[in-house]
Amino acid sequence: MNGPNPSAPLRRGLAAACAALLFVALATGTATGADPSPSPSPSPSASPSSSGGLDPRITEIMRKPEYRNAQWGLLQTGPDGGRVVHSMYPDQFFIPGSTAKLVSVSGPWHTLGSEHRFVTPLYAVGDRQGATLTGDLDLVAQGDLTMGGRTRPDGTVAYTDLDHTYANDFTGATLTPENPLAGIDELARQVRAAGITRVDGDVIVDSRLFAPDPVLDPTPTPLIVNDNLIDLLTTPGDRAGADARLDWRPKVAPYQVGSTVKTVAAGGPTDITVTATDGGTRIRLSGTIAADAEPLLRTSPIADPAAFGRAALIQALERAGVRVTADPAGPNPVARLPRDYEGRPRVAAYTSPPYAQYAKLILKVSHNLGANLGICLMAVTTGSRQCEDGFPVLADFLDEAGVDRGQLQLMDGRGGNPADRATPEALVQMLTYWQRTPDARLFREALPILGVDGLLAENCRDCPARGKVFGKTGAAVGGDALNDRLAVGAITIAGYLDRGGGRFDPFYAGVNGASTPGPNTQEVVGIANDLALIAAYLQEAPPSP
């Protein structure tokens, strides 16, 4: 699988580079995190380690040249978090990357409950005479992460090991086969089943659940369809010189997509640029794709999710046999919304899969939008519309869970803010908490599994630890233009080691402040592979007495 242009990170600011350099997930199972800002650190040989020292294969990894100026952290405990098996700077702050999602997903999981389902209602606001509604249909957004767009027939949520939300950052992202408009279509069918065939009025998306907070990047919105993205799939033409084939989804007015991408000879360059104008509704693809290339996925952001959802619902109603007089390409007329819906008839509702399924999606693929959404959902439980009010809810939960939140610094849910920090001890405390709950297995199996699925699918497929490490991964990578190399702020992994007999040891392993010899992204892949190997070696070690 090809990686991204290795020079691209060096042309961007560090924050942008960290967001773009999720390529580590492609082959190693890591996910983006915060900007690199490593501190000077002692060498690993000076670090304290308990229980007779580490596996020599681990210390050999830590002494590689690329870690000469780096700081290692390590903690493995018994299942109850009491006995320490291995320890290295457990109470020192590290850049967490997406291991922060262990905390940000745990908060809403506990607050909402693993079985919580989001019910998104559609109200008729106006006068109904027979099959005609003179008035509006108001869709009241409830913060449903997928609105049915990933739901399988068995009610589980589909994901691919490399999610479409990362398609612009590197090659290899793929789509799930589910219809991204499935929830919208279901609402439209229910309206028709309720006997309404004509709406002389408008369709409005009510997004008053919470206010979008730009500090959370990507920014959650109360209504999310297809992760607020347009998917653009380019396939080579039949021969060199032919137009490339383009498919895109979801097809919703007023979005228009065109392509001038040409097919070039096998082995030639695949380089596609996506541009969007008119508020993101006019999308054009240009460039080339090699005749022997796999289909290439790119995405374009939906700038106004509420207006997009409104248009999608109007078109879905038309497909279901409900005539709407309003123009689907028009604005979302929020000024027409009522103060509340007391006494208004609910004519449809879409019910989501349980929250545990969304948590699994977020953790398996490191879904940044979903992780940030959890902060807003916790705020909503207090009656607040301000996403930042979710942090006190998270703080109360951490206190209850026995996690020393003084050993955490979080400004978002994804682990991508430059201020985010976590100690190995805090993350292991979070993992230990789940071992004491009825959802222990459900939470553990929601994590990527080494050599099996999610962002650890391609690691250690033939080693003895395959299927026995459950770990959330993280990365923070930026460019070092001064030395023409990559600055690896952090590569981390935290989760559980299956030690047999029903014993699962919580663990953390991470390195801050590594550097690559040059700008080749594959050198970062090597660092992430090292972290996966460390986790494997920890699992493979003989049980301590």
Side-chain angles (χ1 to χ4, degrees), residues 44-94:
S45 60
S47 305
S49 179
S50 65
S51 299
L54 292 170
D55 186 314
R57 295 174 296 179
I58 295 178
T59 55
E60 183 179 354
I61 288 173
M62 291 179 172
R63 290 172 177 145
K64 285 184 176 182
E66 48 264 54
Y67 308 126
R68 180 168 58 104
N69 303 116
Q71 170 71 67
W72 284 93
L74 184 69
L75 183 60
Q76 177 188 347
T77 72
D80 62 358
R83 188 174 64 86
V84 174
V85 181
H86 293 296
S87 177
M88 183 181 292
Y89 299 112
D91 57 356
Q92 181 165 314
F93 273 132
F94 287 83

Coordinates of all heavy atoms in Angstrom, one line a residue, residues 44-94:
P44 N 16.6 5.1 28.4 CA 15.8 4.0 29.0 C 16.6 3.2 30.0 O 16.0 2.7 31.0 CB 15.5 3.2 27.8 CG 15.6 4.1 26.6 CD 16.6 5.1 27.0
S45 N 17.9 3.1 29.9 CA 18.7 2.3 30.8 C 18.6 2.9 32.2 O 18.8 2.2 33.2 CB 20.1 2.2 30.4 OG 20.7 3.5 30.3
A46 N 18.3 4.2 32.3 CA 18.2 4.8 33.7 C 16.9 4.7 34.3 O 16.6 5.1 35.4 CB 18.6 6.3 33.6
S47 N 15.9 4.2 33.5 CA 14.5 4.1 34.0 C 14.3 3.0 34.9 O 14.8 1.9 34.7 CB 13.6 4.0 32.8 OG 13.8 5.0 31.9
P48 N 13.5 3.2 36.0 CA 13.2 2.1 36.9 C 12.3 1.1 36.3 O 11.4 1.4 35.6 CB 12.5 2.8 38.1 CG 12.0 4.0 37.5 CD 12.9 4.4 36.4
S49 N 12.6 -0.2 36.5 CA 11.7 -1.3 36.0 C 11.6 -2.3 37.1 O 12.6 -2.6 37.8 CB 12.3 -1.9 34.8 OG 11.5 -3.0 34.3
S50 N 10.4 -2.8 37.3 CA 10.2 -3.8 38.4 C 10.1 -5.2 37.9 O 10.1 -5.5 36.7 CB 8.9 -3.4 39.1 OG 7.8 -3.6 38.2
S51 N 10.0 -6.2 38.8 CA 9.8 -7.6 38.5 C 11.0 -8.1 37.6 O 10.7 -8.9 36.7 CB 8.5 -7.8 37.8 OG 7.4 -7.4 38.7
G52 N 12.2 -7.8 38.0 CA 13.3 -8.5 37.3 C 13.7 -7.9 36.0 O 14.5 -8.5 35.3
G53 N 13.2 -6.8 35.6 CA 13.6 -6.2 34.3 C 12.7 -6.6 33.2 O 11.9 -7.5 33.2
L54 N 13.0 -5.9 32.1 CA 12.2 -6.2 30.9 C 12.7 -7.3 30.0 O 13.9 -7.6 30.1 CB 12.1 -4.9 30.0 CG 11.4 -3.7 30.6 CD1 11.6 -2.4 29.8 CD2 9.9 -4.0 30.6
D55 N 11.9 -7.8 29.1 CA 12.4 -8.7 28.1 C 13.5 -8.0 27.3 O 13.4 -6.9 26.9 CB 11.2 -9.0 27.2 CG 11.5 -10.1 26.1 OD1 12.5 -10.0 25.5 OD2 10.6 -10.9 25.9
P56 N 14.6 -8.7 27.1 CA 15.8 -8.1 26.4 C 15.4 -7.6 25.0 O 16.0 -6.6 24.5 CB 16.8 -9.3 26.3 CG 16.4 -10.2 27.4 CD 14.9 -10.1 27.6
R57 N 14.4 -8.2 24.4 CA 13.9 -7.7 23.1 C 13.3 -6.3 23.2 O 13.5 -5.5 22.3 CB 12.9 -8.7 22.5 CG 13.5 -10.1 22.2 CD 12.4 -11.0 21.7 NE 11.4 -11.2 22.7 CZ 10.3 -12.0 22.6 NH1 10.1 -12.6 21.4 NH2 9.4 -12.2 23.5
I58 N 12.7 -6.0 24.3 CA 12.1 -4.7 24.5 C 13.3 -3.6 24.8 O 13.2 -2.6 24.2 CB 11.2 -4.7 25.7 CG1 10.0 -5.6 25.4 CG2 10.7 -3.3 26.0 CD1 8.9 -5.7 26.5
T59 N 14.2 -4.0 25.6 CA 15.3 -3.0 25.9 C 16.1 -2.8 24.6 O 16.6 -1.7 24.4 CB 16.2 -3.5 27.0 OG1 16.7 -4.8 26.7 CG2 15.4 -3.5 28.3
E60 N 16.2 -3.8 23.8 CA 17.0 -3.6 22.5 C 16.3 -2.6 21.6 O 16.9 -1.8 21.0 CB 17.1 -5.0 21.8 CG 17.9 -4.9 20.5 CD 18.0 -6.3 19.8 OE1 17.6 -7.3 20.4 OE2 18.6 -6.3 18.7
I61 N 14.9 -2.7 21.6 CA 14.2 -1.7 20.8 C 14.4 -0.3 21.3 O 14.6 0.6 20.6 CB 12.7 -2.1 20.8 CG1 12.4 -3.3 20.0 CG2 11.8 -0.9 20.3 CD1 11.0 -3.8 20.1
M62 N 14.3 -0.1 22.6 CA 14.4 1.2 23.2 C 15.8 1.8 23.0 O 15.9 3.1 23.1 CB 14.1 1.1 24.7 CG 12.6 0.8 25.1 SD 12.4 0.6 26.9 CE 10.6 0.5 26.9
R63 N 16.8 1.0 22.8 CA 18.1 1.6 22.6 C 18.5 1.9 21.1 O 19.7 2.2 20.8 CB 19.2 0.6 23.2 CG 19.1 0.6 24.7 CD 19.9 -0.4 25.4 NE 19.9 -0.4 26.8 CZ 19.9 -1.4 27.6 NH1 20.1 -2.7 27.1 NH2 19.9 -1.3 28.9
K64 N 17.5 1.8 20.3 CA 17.8 2.1 18.8 C 18.2 3.6 18.7 O 17.8 4.4 19.5 CB 16.5 1.8 18.0 CG 16.3 0.3 17.8 CD 15.0 0.2 16.8 CE 14.8 -1.2 16.5 NZ 13.6 -1.4 15.5
P65 N 18.9 3.9 17.6 CA 19.4 5.3 17.5 C 18.3 6.3 17.4 O 18.4 7.4 17.8 CB 20.2 5.2 16.1 CG 20.6 3.8 16.0 CD 19.6 3.0 16.7
E66 N 17.1 5.9 16.8 CA 16.0 6.9 16.6 C 15.4 7.3 18.0 O 14.7 8.3 18.0 CB 14.9 6.4 15.7 CG 14.5 5.0 16.0 CD 15.1 3.9 15.2 OE1 16.4 3.9 15.2 OE2 14.4 3.1 14.6
Y67 N 15.8 6.6 19.1 CA 15.3 7.0 20.4 C 16.3 7.6 21.3 O 16.1 7.7 22.5 CB 14.7 5.7 21.0 CG 13.7 5.0 20.1 CD1 13.8 3.6 19.9 CD2 12.6 5.7 19.6 CE1 12.9 3.0 19.0 CE2 11.7 5.0 18.7 CZ 11.9 3.7 18.5 OH 11.0 3.0 17.7
R68 N 17.4 8.0 20.7 CA 18.5 8.6 21.5 C 18.1 9.7 22.4 O 18.6 9.8 23.5 CB 19.7 9.0 20.5 CG 20.9 9.6 21.2 CD 22.0 9.7 20.2 NE 21.6 10.5 19.1 CZ 22.0 11.8 19.0 NH1 22.9 12.3 19.8 NH2 21.7 12.5 17.9
N69 N 17.2 10.6 21.9 CA 16.8 11.7 22.6 C 15.3 11.6 23.1 O 14.7 12.6 23.5 CB 16.9 13.0 21.8 CG 18.3 13.2 21.3 OD1 18.5 13.2 20.1 ND2 19.2 13.4 22.2
A70 N 14.8 10.4 23.1 CA 13.4 10.2 23.4 C 13.2 9.8 24.8 O 14.1 9.4 25.6 CB 12.9 9.1 22.5
Q71 N 11.9 9.9 25.2 CA 11.5 9.4 26.6 C 10.5 8.3 26.4 O 9.5 8.4 25.7 CB 10.8 10.6 27.3 CG 10.1 10.2 28.6 CD 11.1 9.9 29.7 OE1 11.7 10.8 30.2 NE2 11.1 8.7 30.1
W72 N 10.8 7.2 27.1 CA 10.0 6.0 27.1 C 9.1 6.0 28.4 O 9.6 6.4 29.5 CB 10.8 4.7 27.0 CG 11.3 4.4 25.7 CD1 12.5 4.8 25.2 CD2 10.6 3.7 24.6 NE1 12.6 4.4 23.9 CE2 11.5 3.7 23.5 CE3 9.3 3.2 24.5 CZ2 11.1 3.1 22.3 CZ3 9.0 2.6 23.3 CH2 9.9 2.5 22.2
G73 N 7.9 5.5 28.2 CA 7.0 5.3 29.4 C 6.5 3.9 29.3 O 6.2 3.4 28.2
L74 N 6.3 3.2 30.4 CA 5.8 1.9 30.4 C 5.1 1.5 31.7 O 5.6 1.9 32.8 CB 7.0 0.9 30.2 CG 6.6 -0.6 30.0 CD1 5.9 -0.9 28.7 CD2 7.9 -1.4 30.1
L75 N 4.0 0.9 31.7 CA 3.4 0.4 32.9 C 2.5 -0.8 32.6 O 1.7 -0.8 31.7 CB 2.5 1.5 33.5 CG 1.9 1.1 34.9 CD1 2.9 0.8 35.9 CD2 1.0 2.3 35.3
Q76 N 2.8 -1.9 33.3 CA 1.9 -3.1 33.3 C 1.6 -3.5 34.7 O 2.5 -3.6 35.5 CB 2.6 -4.2 32.5 CG 1.8 -5.5 32.5 CD 2.6 -6.7 32.0 OE1 3.7 -6.5 31.4 NE2 2.1 -7.9 32.1
T77 N 0.4 -3.7 35.0 CA 0.0 -4.1 36.3 C -0.8 -5.4 36.2 O -1.2 -5.9 35.1 CB -0.9 -3.1 37.0 OG1 -2.2 -3.0 36.4 CG2 -0.3 -1.7 36.9
G78 N -1.1 -6.0 37.4 CA -2.1 -7.1 37.5 C -3.4 -6.6 37.1 O -3.7 -5.4 37.0
P79 N -4.4 -7.5 36.9 CA -5.7 -7.2 36.5 C -6.4 -6.1 37.3 O -7.2 -5.3 36.8 CB -6.5 -8.5 36.5 CG -5.4 -9.5 36.3 CD -4.2 -9.0 37.0
D80 N -6.2 -6.1 38.6 CA -6.8 -5.2 39.5 C -6.1 -3.9 39.7 O -6.5 -3.0 40.5 CB -7.1 -5.8 40.9 CG -5.8 -6.2 41.6 OD1 -4.7 -6.0 41.1 OD2 -5.9 -6.7 42.8
G81 N -5.0 -3.7 39.0 CA -4.2 -2.5 39.1 C -3.3 -2.4 40.3 O -2.6 -1.4 40.5
G82 N -3.3 -3.4 41.1 CA -2.5 -3.4 42.3 C -1.0 -3.7 42.1 O -0.2 -2.8 42.1
R83 N -0.7 -5.0 41.8 CA 0.7 -5.4 41.7 C 1.3 -4.8 40.4 O 0.7 -5.0 39.3 CB 0.8 -6.9 41.7 CG 2.2 -7.4 41.7 CD 2.3 -8.9 41.9 NE 1.7 -9.6 40.7 CZ 2.4 -9.9 39.6 NH1 3.6 -9.5 39.5 NH2 1.8 -10.5 38.6
V84 N 2.4 -4.2 40.4 CA 3.1 -3.7 39.3 C 4.0 -4.7 38.7 O 4.9 -5.3 39.4 CB 3.9 -2.4 39.6 CG1 4.8 -1.9 38.4 CG2 3.0 -1.3 40.1
V85 N 3.8 -5.0 37.4 CA 4.7 -6.0 36.7 C 5.9 -5.3 36.1 O 7.0 -5.8 36.2 CB 3.8 -6.7 35.6 CG1 4.7 -7.8 34.9 CG2 2.6 -7.4 36.3
H86 N 5.6 -4.2 35.4 CA 6.7 -3.4 34.8 C 6.4 -1.9 34.9 O 5.2 -1.6 34.8 CB 6.9 -3.7 33.3 CG 7.4 -5.1 33.1 ND1 8.7 -5.6 33.5 CD2 6.9 -6.2 32.4 CE1 8.9 -6.8 33.1 NE2 7.8 -7.2 32.5
S87 N 7.4 -1.1 35.2 CA 7.1 0.3 35.4 C 8.3 1.1 34.9 O 9.4 0.8 35.2 CB 6.8 0.6 36.9 OG 6.6 2.0 37.1
M88 N 8.0 2.2 34.1 CA 9.0 3.1 33.7 C 8.3 4.5 33.5 O 7.5 4.7 32.7 CB 9.5 2.6 32.3 CG 10.6 3.5 31.7 SD 11.1 2.8 30.1 CE 11.9 1.3 30.6
Y89 N 8.7 5.4 34.4 CA 8.2 6.7 34.5 C 6.6 6.7 34.4 O 6.0 7.4 33.6 CB 8.7 7.6 33.3 CG 10.2 7.7 33.4 CD1 11.0 7.1 32.4 CD2 10.8 8.4 34.4 CE1 12.4 7.2 32.5 CE2 12.2 8.6 34.5 CZ 13.0 8.0 33.6 OH 14.3 8.1 33.7
P90 N 6.0 6.0 35.3 CA 4.5 5.9 35.2 C 3.7 7.1 35.5 O 2.6 7.3 35.1 CB 4.2 4.8 36.3 CG 5.3 4.9 37.3 CD 6.5 5.3 36.5
D91 N 4.4 8.1 36.3 CA 3.6 9.3 36.7 C 4.1 10.5 35.9 O 3.9 11.6 36.4 CB 3.7 9.5 38.2 CG 5.2 9.6 38.7 OD1 6.1 9.4 37.9 OD2 5.4 9.8 39.9
Q92 N 4.8 10.3 34.8 CA 5.3 11.4 34.0 C 4.3 11.7 32.8 O 3.8 10.7 32.3 CB 6.7 11.1 33.4 CG 7.2 12.3 32.6 CD 8.7 12.1 32.3 OE1 9.5 11.9 33.2 NE2 9.1 12.3 31.1
F93 N 4.1 13.0 32.5 CA 3.2 13.3 31.4 C 3.8 12.9 30.1 O 5.0 13.2 29.8 CB 2.9 14.8 31.4 CG 1.7 15.2 32.3 CD1 1.8 16.3 33.1 CD2 0.5 14.5 32.2 CE1 0.7 16.7 33.9 CE2 -0.6 14.9 33.0 CZ -0.5 16.0 33.8
F94 N 2.9 12.3 29.3 CA 3.3 12.0 27.9 C 2.2 12.5 27.0 O 1.1 12.7 27.4 CB 3.4 10.4 27.7 CG 4.6 9.8 28.3 CD1 4.6 9.5 29.7 CD2 5.8 9.6 27.6 CE1 5.7 8.9 30.2 CE2 6.9 9.0 28.1 CZ 6.9 8.7 29.5

